Amino acid sequence: MLRGKAWVFKDCVNTDIIIPFRFKSRTNDPYEMAKYAMYGLDQDFPKKISKGDFIVAGRNFGGGSSREQAPVALKYAGIAAVVAESFARIFYRNCFAIGLPILEIPDVTKRVAQGDELLIDLDNFTVQNLKTKETMSAKRITGYLQHLLKEEGFINYYKKHKSFPWTTPKPP
Amino acid sequence: MSSASTILKNDGLTFAEKAISLNSDGEKIHRAGDIAVVNIDWAFAQDSSGPLAIKSFEEMGIDKLWDPSRVLLVIDHTYPAADEKVANLHSMIRKFVSKHGCRIEEGNISHQYVLENIAAPGMIIFGADSHTTQAGCIGAFATGVGSTEMAIIWASGQIWVQVPETIKIKLEGRLPKGVFARDIILHYIGEVGEDGANYKSIEWYGDTVKELTIDSRACISNASMESGCKTSVFPIDEVARRFLKEVDREPKYVIEPGDRSEYADEHMIECEKLQPVVTGPDTLETAHAVEEMSNIVIDEAFIGSSTNCRIEDLEVTARILKGRSIHSGTRCIITPASKKIYKEAINRGYVDIFLDSGAVFTNVTCGACVGTHLGVLGDGEVAISSSSRNYIGRMGALTAKAYLASPATVAASAVEGRVADPRRYL
């Protein structure tokens, strides 16, 4: 179970907003990237949040550039999960690849307000708003993505299994 | 199990279903929604996705590439290095290439280089760059991923993919004077939104397609990505065959989507009704007719990026700038998409025209498009650009504003110092 505060954003928060190119292209250090998380909308965002907080956003979160530095910046800034109405495709893949949990809930921005405390259950794909007491169901994740979510990304997965999710022998 | 020829002949499968079925183990038929593991023909990364891919690759403790002859690193985004930090990451790429014996290309934009030198119909091409979709212009299944997934491909030659649903778009009618491929795609994204084709494959059809050059198709396949699509493909017709003959390249598979394929959505764009489009600022969801925007004064006009700086783009730019001057107080920056285009622009005399007009003609780089060098916007500045995106802070300061348009509209705007209609100059 994850517990934290929601930081609510609008629709179409793209990866240029999450971390501008000129910062992300000049470092390979995730903590340096984290200093610029959400720079396009709030340059003080990394200082304002507490470790374990969540981003809640509207549709098409993470659109545009393929930059993996976007989810990396959010993760290393302390964001524990992103809940959005929908995600752009490369951002979505990148989150599983690097182990940043994401959940898709239509209308979530209507059901969570800035600062609401949330309880996220990644095993059951639910988000509970502790302020309104409402429990929301997120889209369930299956297959390879579930393995990546559980094992926090491809690198950890590979280190543990010495294989990729599709080459790992199935248990008897 | 199906043989390649059975899959190719199946009239109930889309391009994406065929491409993935043909290129995954066992040649099983995969339909939209299925998860498949595809075998990759080519995998590339650039200088802002490559270093993180190298880091992920090395963290996994893998010591060799699956096939160095199919792995390409391109130094294009901030080329040549604009500062020490970039230079150090470029060095990291060169060391990796020299250790693993894979291919490197410096000072050419990846997507244009791949089109000019590598891509073939029916190939599976993955790039750690969103605009990889460009190679769909000659019928390759080409798409973008992030750095860690690129590292997985480098290690294994494979990656998971969900077979996308497909949107069929029919282009009908002649493009009017002053209206170009870029206007078509900016118009489409304005209509459907930045997630209008999210996760989906786009197939282009219609009479207008026959009239579109490979340059124009490359622009559309590249810029389609701004609607969220996974791939954006054109049919292999006479235009595509002529291109393949010129570059002396054979198709891997010529994939014709089946007549009875299922589509998630179908659109028709009446091209003869289109006008030059100006999109923005801050989003690609607001596309305007150029005349609505003519009160906007600009500081910078940028013609460049993989989206829109091929030879036909420079040709129309030269036509507009010939004998004219860039408006006083406005800067015009022109950045070709490849060395081949750069040389061609010199040979055709375009560079003389650009320099005489007062424009800057730079080396090949992604430069101003991503606000990294050679044309970064300052506080409150306004730009019109043929590059890919107009997002907050992309081209420079957070308070700068960027509008997107075809190279012709950008060139006309450079002459007038405000957003201008290119039809007056053509």
Side-chain angles (χ1 to χ4, degrees):
Chain A
M1 288 286 204
L2 304 171
R3 186 178 176 149
K5 196 169 118 178
W7 295 84
V8 181
F9 291 92
K10 55 180 188 169
D11 288 342
C12 292
V13 171
N14 57 63
T15 52
D16 279 295
I17 286 174
I18 299 170
I19 182 168
F21 183 90
R22 61 192 175 281
F23 304 125
K24 73 105 178 175
S25 62
R26 283 164 167 81
T27 183
N28 228 12
D29 174 1
Y31 291 99
E32 184 63 23
M33 294 168 200
K35 290 180 190 164
Y36 302 99
M38 302 305 286
Y39 187 90
L41 292 176
D42 183 355
Q43 289 155 68
D44 296 323
F45 184 73
K47 288 180 215 143
K48 285 182 186 167
I49 60 171
S50 304
K51 194 173 160 50
D53 282 354
F54 307 118
I55 282 179
V56 170
R59 70 176 171 94
N60 202 33
F61 190 83
S65 152
S66 68
R67 64 192 65 167
E68 188 168 296
Q69 291 90 342
V72 168
L74 298 177
K75 183 178 174 175
Y76 285 82
I79 292 295
V82 183
V83 187
E85 292 174 1
S86 64
F87 292 92
R89 65 163 283 272
I90 307 179
F91 183 88
Y92 186 85
R93 296 183 71 110
N94 281 343
C95 287
F96 288 96
I98 67 142
L100 174 65
I102 53 173
L103 294 167
E104 218 176 302
I105 300 177
D107 301 335
V108 69
T109 56
K110 294 194 183 83
R111 295 151 86 179
V112 175
Q114 172 60 38
D116 285 358
E117 198 83 16
L118 307 179
L119 197 60
I120 296 186
D121 179 348
L122 290 176
D123 292 325
N124 293 301
F125 303 99
T126 59
V127 176
Q128 193 188 351
N129 186 332
L130 295 173
K131 189 159 177 217
T132 63
K133 312 285 178 218
E134 185 188 9
T135 299
M136 296 162 267
S137 295
K139 201 167 135 187
R140 296 193 83 83
I141 289 150
T142 55
Y144 303 135
L145 293 181
Q146 206 170 9
H147 297 296
L148 293 173
L149 181 68
K150 285 218 167 77
E151 308 203 17
E152 290 182 36
F154 267 120
I155 296 173
N156 290 328
Y157 187 98
Y158 188 83
K159 280 183 183 165
K160 186 172 160 191
H161 300 274
K162 292 289 168 216
S163 63
F164 307 107
W166 49 86
T167 54
T168 307
K170 291 205 170 61
Chain B
M1 290 276 270
S2 301
S3 71
S5 64
T6 324
I7 293 170
L8 284 165
K9 277 187 224 143
N10 189 318
D11 67 353
L13 298 176
T14 61
F15 168 86
E17 289 169 332
K18 287 190 182 182
I20 292 169
S21 300
L22 287 163
N23 290 290
S24 48
D25 285 338
E27 292 180 347
K28 178 178 171 289
I29 286 180
H30 292 286
R31 292 184 183 272
D34 291 354
I35 303 276
V37 176
V38 282
N39 300 316
I40 310 289
D41 290 295
W42 273 91
F44 67 91
Q46 32 84 347
D47 51 331
S48 74
S49 60
L52 201 50
I54 292 170
K55 190 175 170 209
S56 289
F57 186 83
E58 289 174 350
E59 268 180 37
M60 286 188 290
I62 294 171
D63 55 6
K64 64 179 196 344
L65 297 172
W66 117 88
D67 183 349
S69 71
R70 293 165 184 271
V71 172
L72 169 69
L73 281 126
V74 185
I75 300 185
D76 60 1
H77 271 61
T78 314
Y79 183 84
D83 55 52
E84 267 176 69
K85 288 179 179 173
V86 172
N88 289 336
L89 292 170
H90 287 180
S91 300
M92 180 187 190
I93 290 173
R94 293 184 191 109
K95 278 181 201 147
F96 181 84
V97 167
S98 117
K99 180 176 172 190
H100 292 280
C102 55
R103 213 156 133 179
I104 187 165
E105 179 62 23
E106 303 202 19
N108 245 329
I109 297 183
S110 63
H111 311 300
Q112 191 59 23
Y113 179 79
V114 165
L115 176 60
E116 289 169 1
N117 298 282
I118 288 170
M123 276 186 175
I124 303 280
I125 300 172
F126 272 63
D129 190 293
S130 60
H131 295 113
T132 304
T133 52
Q134 182 176 310
C137 71
I138 54 160
F141 183 95
T143 195
V145 288
S147 298
T148 296
E149 292 202 301
M150 184 48 58
I152 300 297
I153 295 171
W154 288 350
S156 68
Q158 296 185 313
I159 197 72
W160 74 274
V161 64
Q162 182 161 33
V163 184
E165 293 185 307
T166 298
I167 298 175
K168 181 177 189 172
I169 308 178
K170 219 169 160 190
L171 302 177
E172 290 292 349
R174 244 210 152 82
L175 281 171
K177 185 177 86 168
V179 179
F180 301 89
R182 189 61 188 284
D183 297 297
I184 298 174
I185 192 66
L186 286 175
H187 164 82
Y188 171 71
I189 296 163
E191 293 288 306
V192 302
E194 289 175 0
D195 54 358
N198 202 10
Y199 301 105
K200 299 200 170 61
S201 168
I202 297 176
E203 292 176 7
W204 298 93
Y205 293 90
D207 285 349
T208 320
V209 167
K210 295 185 196 122
E211 309 293 322
L212 294 177
T213 60
I214 292 296
D215 281 7
S216 289
R217 297 175 189 194
C219 169
I220 290 176
S221 287
N222 177 302
S224 295
M225 190 280 143
E226 314 309 339
S227 64
C229 72
K230 187 175 284 184
T231 187
S232 172
V233 293
F234 281 84
I236 302 304
D237 59 3
E238 276 315 303
V239 176
R241 284 198 190 89
R242 213 177 313 131
F243 170 83
L244 291 168
K245 204 173 166 194
E246 276 165 26
V247 297
D248 192 21
R249 216 172 301 148
E250 292 292 322
K252 181 176 181 190
Y253 298 112
V254 174
I255 298 172
E256 286 171 11
D259 296 338
R260 296 191 300 112
S261 309
E262 282 180 31
Y263 291 94
D265 210 348
E266 294 189 31
H267 294 271
M268 218 264 275
I269 298 175
E270 294 172 284
C271 292
E272 74 274 8
K273 291 188 181 161
L274 294 179
Q275 296 191 54
V277 175
V278 175
T279 287
D282 302 339
T283 169
L284 277 89
E285 297 197 340
T286 50
H288 312 266
V290 65
E291 63 238 23
E292 292 166 31
M293 309 296 276
S294 59
N295 58 341
I296 296 164
V297 174
I298 54 159
D299 299 289
E300 179 170 307
F302 175 57
I303 296 163
S305 90
S306 61
T307 303
N308 235 169
C309 207
R310 281 167 272 276
I311 199 66
E312 71 176 19
D313 303 323
L314 295 179
E315 188 271 330
V316 74
T317 301
R319 232 188 317 151
I320 292 170
L321 295 185
K322 190 170 184 181
R324 297 193 174 94
S325 297
I326 305 301
H327 193 268
S328 149
T330 304
R331 55 185 184 273
C332 177
I333 299 156
I334 304 170
T335 301
S338 74
K339 290 177 198 168
K340 186 171 178 241
I341 296 165
Y342 190 114
K343 288 203 279 191
E344 185 70 12
I346 293 171
N347 292 339
R348 293 194 191 180
Y350 298 162
V351 178
D352 285 339
I353 294 170
F354 301 153
L355 298 182
D356 290 345
S357 75
V360 178
F361 189 69
T362 79
N363 64 289
V364 180
T365 172
C366 302
C369 173
V370 286
T372 183
H373 70 157
L374 300 180
V376 180
L377 301 179
D379 281 322
E381 286 198 313
V382 177
I384 188 162
S385 173
S386 77
S387 62
S388 61
R389 299 186 181 116
N390 54 8
Y391 295 157
I392 296 170
R394 178 170 173 96
M395 293 183 72
L398 295 179
T399 53
K401 294 284 176 213
Y403 296 86
L404 304 175
S406 77
T409 302
V410 177
S413 304
V415 171
E416 297 194 18
R418 56 176 63 230
V419 173
D421 193 327
R423 289 172 291 196
R424 286 199 286 275
Y425 297 89
L426 296 167

